[in-house]
């Protein structure tokens, strides 16, 4: 299985026991946020062969090629459109891609279809068209309600715009709406983050994601920090913000189900992300997208024009890896440990099982039945717990 094509073909005939989803990457952005290192492109960076107008047709062609890889096509439980800014495409284009997935694979009964949305790229009519086109869930990137924090992040929307998007989504009929927050931005005060949390709760969403700002090499923010224009984010401040998020969201009826994610009900949890975390399988369509089928991971060419040219000739795969038993074990422990449902102790190797007693003694986890579950302190130190369990 040295070639990507043969590896994918071998994986595609294996039974999929943990669900199947589709990730669709939309690489367009009006401008690049200073903290972002995602695979995104402004109009001037796209190159030949790709534009917003042609993109839906290109991705639909990959979906058809994906379908041809399977002898028996699995039903699709979840679909997630990420970016970039998926909502820079026309709502009709996003709906057409979702319809192609349904046509080629079939959407399972009770499927979840989510798209990310930047607040400035949607309005009431757009969201109504999305809902009518089969989308069931919206994830809005609010990040903060403090204007000076948004400025540091190079976000272009006003604080009110994100809340308007949530209101439009509810009126359009979306039952599940999520807001994304970033905490620990230089210049953000405790009061700023408290206000952002309160605004998210008051907006009536049933899901909140809150992530510590990570300074990625090669980003504009990293350059500004290196030059001294902006201070380095503080780990201690980030920990304080996380504790504030847990306190405010739990008081408002949200429960954490993954270290960075809270939901009001089990139905409000992002099922697509749970598919990743619980060891499911997915096909990633679009430039730079990663896919996973039993034992194999592969990824597409990153640049949109290179991706489109490769797709015209065959599968747009840039590389692949066959996962070893050690790879699978490490990923399983890493992902399951971060979930509120916990890590099954009997699935740990002997060294990991021996570490459980230390994790509990240190107050980082508790044993509930056969599962190790993180305490609040353990959630702050989740990476250290995983290192201990996989040493």
């Amino acid at each position: 299985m040295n070639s990507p094509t043969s590896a994918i073909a071998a994986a595609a005939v294996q039974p999929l026991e943990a669900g199947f989803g589709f990730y669709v990457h939309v690489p367009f952005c009006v401008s690049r946020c200073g903290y972002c290192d995602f695979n995104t492109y402004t109009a001037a960076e796209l190159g030949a062969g790709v534009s917003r107008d042609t993109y839906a047709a290109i991705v639909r062609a990959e979906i058809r090629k994906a379908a041809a890889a399977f002898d028996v096509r699995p039903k699709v439980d979840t679909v997630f459109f990420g970016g970039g800014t998926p909502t820079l495409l026309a709502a009709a284009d996003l709906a057409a891609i979702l319809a192609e997935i349904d046509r080629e694979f079939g959407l399972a009964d009770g499927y979840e279809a989510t798209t990310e949305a930047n607040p400035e790229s949607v309005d009431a009519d757009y969201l109504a068209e999305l809902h009518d086109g089969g989308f069931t869930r919206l994830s809005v990137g609010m990040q903060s309600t403090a204007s000076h924090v948004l400025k540091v992040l190079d976000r272009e929307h006003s604080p009110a715009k994100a809340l308007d998007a949530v209101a439009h989504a509810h009126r359009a009929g979306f039952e599940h709406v999520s807001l994304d927050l970033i905490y620990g931005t230089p210049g953000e005060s405790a009061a700023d983050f408290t206000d952002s949390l309160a605004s998210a709760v008051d907006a009536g969403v049933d899901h909140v994601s809150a992530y510590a700002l990570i300074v990625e090499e090669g980003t504009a923010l990293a350059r500004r920090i290196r030059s001294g224009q902006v201070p380095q984010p503080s780990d201690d401040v980030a920990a304080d913000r996380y504790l504030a998020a847990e306190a405010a969201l739990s008081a408002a009826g949200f429960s954490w189900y993954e270290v960075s994610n809270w939901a009001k009900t089990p139905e409000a949890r992002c099922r697509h992300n749970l598919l990743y975390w619980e060891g499911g399988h997915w096909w990633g369509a679009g430039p730079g997208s990663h896919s996973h089928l039993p034992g194999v991971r592969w990824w597409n060419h990153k640049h949109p024009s290179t991706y489109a040219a490769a797709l015209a000739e065959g599968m747009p795969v840039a590389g692949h890896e066959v996962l070893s038993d050690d790879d699978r074990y490490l990923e399983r422990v890493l992902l399951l440990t971060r979930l509120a449902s916990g890590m099954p102790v009997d699935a740990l190797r002997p060294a990991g099982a021996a570490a459980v007693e230390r994790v509990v003694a240190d107050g980082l986890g508790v044993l509930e039945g056969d599962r190790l579950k993180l305490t609040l302190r353990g959630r702050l130190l989740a990476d250290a717990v995983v290192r201990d369990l996989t040493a």
Side-chain angles (χ1 to χ4, degrees):
M1 290 196 296
N2 290 327
S3 76
T5 302
S6 60
I8 294 168
V13 299
Q14 301 299 314
L16 304 182
E17 298 175 351
F20 181 69
F22 246 92
Y23 172 76
V24 179
H25 188 67
V26 181
F28 307 111
C29 279
V30 173
S31 61
R32 183 170 290 105
C33 298
Y35 63 93
C36 180
D37 73 336
F38 293 167
N39 187 40
T40 63
Y41 302 85
T42 62
E45 298 169 328
L46 284 175
V50 180
S51 70
R52 289 191 209 172
D53 292 339
T54 62
Y55 189 71
I58 293 170
V59 171
R60 289 169 64 189
E62 183 181 355
I63 293 165
R64 291 191 291 273
K65 290 187 177 184
F70 291 90
D71 290 336
V72 178
R73 299 175 186 179
K75 289 280 189 180
V76 176
D77 301 299
T78 64
V79 184
F80 195 100
F81 286 67
T85 309
T87 46
L88 284 179
L89 292 185
D93 284 345
L94 296 182
I97 295 170
L98 182 62
E100 192 76 44
I101 293 171
D102 189 24
R103 188 159 39 247
E104 294 294 331
F105 287 86
L107 294 169
D109 291 342
Y111 73 90
E112 174 192 88
T114 303
T115 187
E116 296 178 337
N118 278 4
E120 71 275 14
S121 64
V122 296
D123 58 22
D125 290 341
Y126 186 101
L127 292 176
E129 189 173 356
L130 267 189
H131 186 265
D132 291 346
F135 284 82
T136 66
R137 188 174 180 278
L138 190 73
S139 180
V140 180
M142 181 167 76
Q143 318 312 355
S144 176
T145 55
S147 297
H148 64 278
V149 173
L150 294 174
K151 185 175 181 180
V152 172
L153 296 173
D154 293 322
R155 300 288 291 187
E156 296 192 345
H157 66 269
S158 68
K161 196 71 174 174
L163 302 177
D164 289 343
V166 171
H168 293 324
H170 284 146
R171 283 194 288 272
F174 281 92
E175 183 178 358
H176 301 302
V177 183
S178 177
L179 277 172
D180 288 355
L181 299 175
I182 290 177
Y183 57 83
T185 301
E188 176 195 64
S189 68
D192 290 332
F193 188 55
T194 296
D195 289 345
S196 295
L197 289 165
S199 294
V201 169
D202 291 344
V205 297
D206 61 358
H207 188 283
V208 173
S209 299
Y211 302 102
L213 178 67
I214 297 174
V215 181
E216 302 287 359
E217 282 301 317
T219 62
L221 180 60
R223 292 190 292 273
R224 290 164 66 194
I225 289 172
R226 194 161 46 246
S227 68
Q229 299 175 53
V230 176
Q232 179 74 33
S234 163
D235 290 342
D236 290 340
V237 168
D240 288 342
R241 299 287 186 271
Y242 185 86
L243 295 174
E246 169 61 21
L249 293 171
S250 62
F254 290 79
S255 299
W256 79 283
Y257 69 100
E258 191 273 343
V259 166
S260 298
N261 291 272
W262 291 259
K264 279 239 172 156
T265 65
E267 294 75 22
R269 298 169 183 169
C270 181
R271 288 164 45 199
H272 186 82
N273 284 341
L274 281 169
L275 180 138
Y276 295 152
W277 298 326
E278 293 176 343
H281 309 287
W282 68 93
W283 194 288
S289 290
H290 284 233
S291 302
H292 176 261
L293 288 177
V296 179
R297 181 183 291 111
W298 69 94
W299 49 94
N300 287 347
H301 289 284
K302 288 186 69 172
H303 196 280
S305 62
T306 307
Y307 159 81
L311 181 63
E313 299 297 325
M315 296 291 280
V317 179
H320 79 291
E321 59 180 335
V322 177
L323 301 175
S324 68
D325 289 343
D326 287 344
D327 293 332
R328 296 193 212 189
Y329 176 74
L330 176 61
E331 291 184 5
R332 188 179 187 203
V333 176
L334 171 66
L335 296 173
L336 290 183
T337 300
R338 292 177 61 87
L339 294 178
S341 54
M343 177 70 211
V345 174
D346 61 6
L348 291 168
R349 291 176 176 175
V356 169
E357 185 175 342
R358 293 194 300 273
V359 171
V360 173
D362 289 341
L364 303 179
V366 295
L367 278 173
E368 293 186 10
D370 65 344
R371 288 180 175 261
L372 175 67
K373 299 184 179 182
L374 295 178
T375 61
L376 179 55
R377 182 166 175 263
R379 285 149 62 185
L380 293 172
L381 299 169
D383 290 346
V385 173
V386 170
R387 285 195 297 272
D388 208 10
L389 296 177
T390 56

